[in-house]
Structure formats: structure tokens, C-alpha cells
Amino acid sequence: LTIKHIRSYTSNMSRSPGRKQENHKISRELFVLTYGALVAQLCKDYEKDEDVNACLDRMGYSIGIRLIDDFLARSAVKKCRSYSETADVIAQVAFKMYLGVTPSVSCSNATGNEFSLILDKNPLVDFVEELPAERASLCYCNLLCGVIRGALEMVHLAAEVSFLQDRLKGDAVTEIGITFLRKPEDRRHRRNK
Ligand code: MYR
């Protein structure tokens, strides 16, 4: 197989919509399986669930601080005027764009700085049936919390992000909690949009 063959094979693939969808599915599955392999490796490296969770969060943070540029460029979202708008953008635009799902959003306190993203479907756990008994405190998808935290930090929004409920742990839904830590007016360096 020469480079020419591969090129014509891939260009034919991208011309056929059915094939394109199939490729998309394969790369999504590869991504989900790769994520699983990452978590499995961290479970080998660290005995305590808390250490695995912290490591996933740190890795996610490194991704988030880079992902934000891609997200702002591709989505063309404008600067949000409230925490509630930001939470909606995360759920409706960012989750949709990167994970193909749209969590529902609810504000969970009177001050208006705590939000819940409820995921009915979590594509990252497509191949995971349940957590092993000895890994009961593992936050399997904790990378996502770090990604959100890192991305928000880059638009000058400090936030705490964590899993509040997880279907993998037997909860009825999967819920990510986002607590914005400062008042919106404290946000200094505005983006020129
Ligand atoms: C602004 O007000 O400047 C816009 C704020 C947009 C914040 C978007 C954060 C993106 C988080 C990405 C999460 C991806 C999870 C798969």
C-alpha cells in the first residue's frame, strides 16, 4: 500500500457521507477506549482512588487551558454576562461540540454561583459497566472536571468543579457541580469580542 493508495482511500471515505459517519464513530470509540486505558493505567500506578482522581483532574486542567482557544475560535461564543449564561454555554455548546451530548443545567443555590450539569448519557463510560468494588471512590470521568476548571480559568473565571453524582456508583444520574468562586464583576481582563 503506497501513500497514494492511502490518500485516495481516505479521500473516497470522506466523500461518502455513510463512511464519514462510520469513521466518526470509530474515532469516538477509539477515544473512549483510550480514555479507559488511561484510567486503568492510573489505577495501576496509584493505590488510592483519591490520587487517581487528582491525577485525572490535573491532566484535564492541562487540556482545558489549551482547549479554550480551540473552543472560542470554533464556537465564536461571545463573552458571557452571567454565571448562568456561562453554565449554559458549557453544557449546550462545549459538551455538544466535544462529547456530542447536551447536559441539562440547573442553578443550585440562591446566590446564583452554583450549577449542576446533569448528564443522562455519558459517552466516556460507554464501555464501562461498573466500577470494581475496590475502586468505589474512583471518579472515572474526573478528567472532565479538570478540563472545565482549566478552560474557565483561562477566561478569568475561578471555579471548583466536581462530580456530585455518578451513575457508575449507582446514582440515578451523573451530575457535575460547578461553583464559581468570585463575583462576576471581579472578572478583569475582558476578551475583546
Ligand atoms: C466567556 O464568557 O468568555 C465565554 C465563556 C465560555 C466558557 C467555556 C468553557 C468551556 C469548557 C469546555 C468543557 C469541555 C468539556 C467536554
Side-chain angles (χ1 to χ4, degrees), residues 71 78-80 89-90 94-95 99 147-148 151 155 187 191:
F71 174 71
K78 300 258 178 334
K79 186 177 172 301
C80 299
V89 163
I90 295 172
F95 267 72
L99 292 174
V147 173
I148 297 172
V155 291
R187 203 170 152 193
R191 281 200 291 127

Side-chain angles (χ1 to χ4, degrees), residues 80-150:
C80 299
R81 293 202 186 89
S82 63
Y83 288 148
S84 140
E85 215 180 293
T86 307
D88 283 341
V89 163
I90 295 172
Q92 285 158 23
V93 190
F95 267 72
K96 183 76 189 155
M97 185 183 281
Y98 294 111
L99 292 174
V101 292
T102 308
S104 55
V105 181
S106 62
C107 180
S108 28
N109 70 347
T111 333
N113 69 324
E114 282 183 25
F115 293 84
S116 282
L117 307 188
I118 308 274
L119 287 128
D120 288 327
K121 197 179 163 333
N122 179 1
L124 274 186
V125 302
D126 268 359
F127 302 104
V128 186
E129 272 168 31
E130 58 182 11
L131 295 179
E134 69 279 10
R135 287 288 175 188
S137 308
L138 178 70
C139 289
Y140 183 86
C141 293
N142 222 30
L143 186 108
L144 287 181
C145 296
V147 173
I148 297 172
R149 185 168 64 83

Side-chain angles (χ1 to χ4, degrees), residues 4-20 23:
K4 196 172 139 215
H5 287 122
I6 295 170
R7 277 217 194 100
S8 80
Y9 176 65
T10 48
S11 72
N12 284 343
M13 282 196 312
S14 55
R15 254 180 244 135
S16 137
R19 276 293 179 96
K20 201 170 177 185
N23 294 339

